[in-house]
Amino acid sequence: MAIHHFEPTVYHTAIGAHEPVLHIKSSDTVFTTTVDNAGYDATDTQVTPGGNPQTGPFYIDTAEPGDTLVVRFDKLLPNRKIGRTATVVAPNVLDPHYVASEMLEADRAEWHVDVEAWTATLISPETQLGNLTLPLEPMVGCFGVAPPRGQAISTATSSTHGGNMDYRGFKEGVTVYLPVFVSGALFHLGDGHAVQGDGEIVGTGIEISFDVQFTVEVIKEKSINLPRAENEEYILTAGNARPLDQAVQHATTELLRWLGELGLEKRAAHILLGQTVEYDMGNVFDPAYTMVCKIKKSILRDIGIWDTD
Amino acid sequence: MAIHHFEPTVYHTAIGAHEPVLHIKSSDTVFTTTVDNAGYDATDTQVTPGGNPQTGPFYIDTAEPGDTLVVRFDKLLPNRKIGRTATVVAPNVLDPHYVASEMLEADRAEWHVDVEAWTATLISPETQLGNLTLPLEPMVGCFGVAPPRGQAISTATSSTHGGNMDYRGFKEGVTVYLPVFVSGALFHLGDGHAVQGDGEIVGTGIEISFDVQFTVEVIKEKSINLPRAENEEYILTAGNARPLDQAVQHATTELLRWLGELGLEKRAAHILLGQTVEYDMGNVFDPAYTMVCKIKKSILRDIGIWDTD
Amino acid sequence: MAIHHFEPTVYHTAIGAHEPVLHIKSSDTVFTTTVDNAGYDATDTQVTPGGNPQTGPFYIDTAEPGDTLVVRFDKLLPNRKIGRTATVVAPNVLDPHYVASEMLEADRAEWHVDVEAWTATLISPETQLGNLTLPLEPMVGCFGVAPPRGQAISTATSSTHGGNMDYRGFKEGVTVYLPVFVSGALFHLGDGHAVQGDGEIVGTGIEISFDVQFTVEVIKEKSINLPRAENEEYILTAGNARPLDQAVQHATTELLRWLGELGLEKRAAHILLGQTVEYDMGNVFDPAYTMVCKIKKSILRDIGIWDTD
Amino acid sequence: MAIHHFEPTVYHTAIGAHEPVLHIKSSDTVFTTTVDNAGYDATDTQVTPGGNPQTGPFYIDTAEPGDTLVVRFDKLLPNRKIGRTATVVAPNVLDPHYVASEMLEADRAEWHVDVEAWTATLISPETQLGNLTLPLEPMVGCFGVAPPRGQAISTATSSTHGGNMDYRGFKEGVTVYLPVFVSGALFHLGDGHAVQGDGEIVGTGIEISFDVQFTVEVIKEKSINLPRAENEEYILTAGNARPLDQAVQHATTELLRWLGELGLEKRAAHILLGQTVEYDMGNVFDPAYTMVCKIKKSILRDIGIWDTD
């Protein structure tokens, strides 16, 4: 249960088997930072090329292929005052004929991020939105482990190893589960958002650098297929694919598997999901889209398959 | 502002330009009933063949092509005690390889629906779920107006005219907006669900007959492209297509149009949606899937483009 | 084996259970005409509103639900000298970002169609293409039977009943098979193209009116799921859906069923298709796309499951 | 114009910036071999783990990011007598409900490959197909260059760098064009098929080891977006994505770009493709599907934008 303070100096725009920046153990906690999507740090200085650069990878000592890596996001906090967003809804999210007739020039908007007031306030460009103020909802857009087969996968997309899922639910207090494909798991994270709409439909949230604290654990000889997570209220699975239909298939199948691991027989699991399942939409901007499938823990408790918290 | 009590005797499993069952006027209210998806009424007697049979069509006197029909769902209440669901997650919602290895026999489950206690309780088959009890959340799975071009479209699917959208948000208190394609609009509704999970992934909610009260209004010479709705908290649009990606495109484009009609210029609308849009998933069982795109009215009030309620 | 000469006076832009224009019998032959996609006839006069207006429906006397209607296209011939095409690749066929930056104004091109020389020659607008001359390849874009459930389905799309498939293989000499959903089958046809690229990616072929001769037959108590066809070289099935992936699923499944009907056991059918199947792409402009799955008759003869022609 | 004889000893199941096995120059020719999809060589001995292992990468001396690598497949020839296929159509290629009811056990079939007779003959299992004999049509399923951003991408999928496209048109005599993302380009190839149906719908062609001869060239400062190719009759582009709709978008957009590079203005290019474009379907088994968009060189010659061969 060691505590590590790690200041990154290298970043990666593909998640893969890069040289580990730190070796840690199961139950250890790490305090670190992430730069924003464009490589700008807490002082708003560009320290690395853009493209969702990741802090890491962190090598978790006992993690081996076939295990599951658990990461709890203890703290996710913007560490500077300026955030930036794109300003045009992505053409892949709009009707093709509408796109053909209607598109805007790409541009940047700037937001003042105030962690005391817990708000983000639009400061430019000047529009009818004036100084629109939104409550903060900090989340981490991109994280994951080294993928299988010696792959290194761009942080512009996502797959079974995690990656750029841009799901608003990946926020402070959430515990994520990732399949381990290589020795040490090689955990990466980055691409913090102070605020984000569902789908990241303009291609950005309010992009900002973060102070991060996370704690890892290794579950030995437990194999999962996709990123999973739990928060106070839900267990959830994240399907990453395109079209969204396939992301729904991946996430639903994995939640059925999880219910099976919890001891629920198949017929019961199907009946249960039919009337209680919920879905949230993650990224619809990337090559791979993300759909989250979830069920309330309170229901699992009612039927006696969830004891903890 | 007349009030009509209408007892249906014919039902339709395609939404089209059928003989109207009742002529009503803008601002009129109708009390009526719907049978369940299989054609069973409040006494659990089959009175018409299955397939989401619709009550109606109701002819609204001044509605003409190019207008918008407004329907407020004043009351949506199960009117019998037995509801039924399918028990197998649809193969199109699961990974194809998982389907190939894992499928169950189709079957029916029965639920006791208690509108006093506001609960639905599983009574058969016997599974680990025991007598799982869920809170009621009555909603109408299928409604719409006669489509354009002389079409009649199966109530197993959905399109610009509405249809089988199976969105949990179409519940009591919601006001829906539908494009008018034919004189009289020809409003149909049916397929009530006492409870439903997102996506209707087993192909049914808890299917049950309903007592229904609704009130119509006609907005002259206002043309919309897709079903829209508002509830206390949100305005929303429903995109109906497959894959889900296209449903996202339809719904997002229509919400941008709506913001434009509210007086928001395009650049502001794009920036706004980017950080505040939300999506809900409707039906992923039908030929056409449904995705809902929405934004909070409180935000629209903040920026001065929403005055009412 | 009667021969009918039928001159149409009404046309339909949805395929459904309209009043039959002619009652015919199995083995009868019909000589008739079709107008072009915009409702212009052999004299280039608009006689009906546009939108792929259909000639028909023809009521085939003994056809009942559960039967198969066979239609042989004996003759498909442009009957005027002017054809027209759209000039812009549809935005849904291009990368969304490319669409956003690159689109052209919609426009019409005119082609001189010469059935003696068997050519179509571009006559306007003036472009680098000059008087581009292409060989004729006349085909019928849209045909089908009344769909199930009392539906009437727009001739802008396609489904199990046929519809606007825009497949270049539906040309003279081809025999098509359609599932019968209503008494009399109610066959419609229209939307002739003198020439068309795969996919009808600009939304039109060279649109032109046709002289048509077709011969029908009814196969009693034989039920198929989708349009099928055969030409001299191939048997083929047409899947109509979106995305194309689903059209592939429909067409492949139906060809497996057909091989089963020919007496091939399943394992053999899978091995065979794996190394010999071919696909052609039909319409990718409509709400529903079309994919054709086919296999050579010569291979079926080699393995002893195809005797005829 | 050196000639290299290269005997591989290492293989890769991801395409990326691996240690080059050989440095060659523009205009050089390489004679080498590939193992089959499962890692078996010309003696049918497994020499490396399965998963489409690639021979290479070859470092082409002057190739730099922003250039185009040209590879001519001079010779692609099976170099042993036994080939193997899977025997079950992939569930993602079939209707989900059909899959749920109908699937077979996975199995292997063996084929005798005779390059003298130019045939592949089924030798097991015993089915109604007997000793089905098909003409050889050798092609290379997977090839490509190191992708951008430091990625290494599994040979089970495809993208802008090439990869597992399984297109029947990638055969002897074809010249392919690949975008260069890293110094030296780093060309890989493998996964030879003696025969394959469109789509590789059982997940394999007749998998076999190959003798290969290829010749490279570098086009400096010419940037393309996707794999392109030409054969005697066509120029073509390969879109790699899922769903197929997106693969169509990629391939069509790239062919429009190519026509622009040949000097055809946009309006002319759109009109031309509308009536003359053709599509072929590549892999529909992988995470990313492949669609090829092509146009006849004879038409390009007619309009004066194609001089050579």
Side-chain angles (χ1 to χ4, degrees), chain A residues 119-139:
Chain A
T119 54
T121 302
L122 181 62
I123 50 181
S124 76
E126 285 202 28
T127 69
Q128 287 167 291
L129 301 176
N131 294 117
L132 173 68
T133 296
L134 300 173
L136 294 193
E137 199 186 357
M139 51 159 281

Side-chain angles (χ1 to χ4, degrees), chain D residues 20 134 138 152 252 276 284 289:
Chain D
L134 300 173
T252 310
T276 64
V284 290
Y289 292 168

Side-chain angles (χ1 to χ4, degrees), chain A residues 165-168 198-200 280-284 290-292:
Chain A
M165 297 177 281
D166 292 311
Y167 172 50
R168 294 168 71 171
D198 284 351
E200 206 203 31
D280 291 333
M281 196 179 85
N283 188 300
V284 289
T290 296
M291 186 66 78
V292 164

Side-chain angles (χ1 to χ4, degrees), chain D residues 35-49:
Chain D
V35 294
D36 73 12
N37 67 321
Y40 288 72
D41 69 6
T43 66
D44 206 21
T45 307
Q46 190 177 21
V47 295
T48 188

Side-chain angles (χ1 to χ4, degrees), chain C residues 87 95 102 128 250 265 267, chain D residues 87 95 128 250 265 267:
Chain C
T87 62
D95 283 337
E102 298 271 332
Q128 288 167 287
H250 291 344
E265 46 143 14
R267 169 76 65 190
Chain D
T87 62
D95 283 338
Q128 287 166 288
H250 290 344
E265 46 143 14
R267 169 76 65 190

Side-chain angles (χ1 to χ4, degrees), chain B residues 158-189:
Chain B
S158 60
S159 185
T160 54
H161 71 296
N164 197 34
M165 297 177 279
D166 292 311
Y167 172 50
R168 294 168 71 171
F170 289 139
K171 54 189 178 181
E172 194 170 299
V174 166
T175 300
V176 298
Y177 300 86
L178 296 164
V180 177
F181 298 110
V182 303
S183 291
L186 298 178
F187 180 68
H188 305 60
L189 86 169

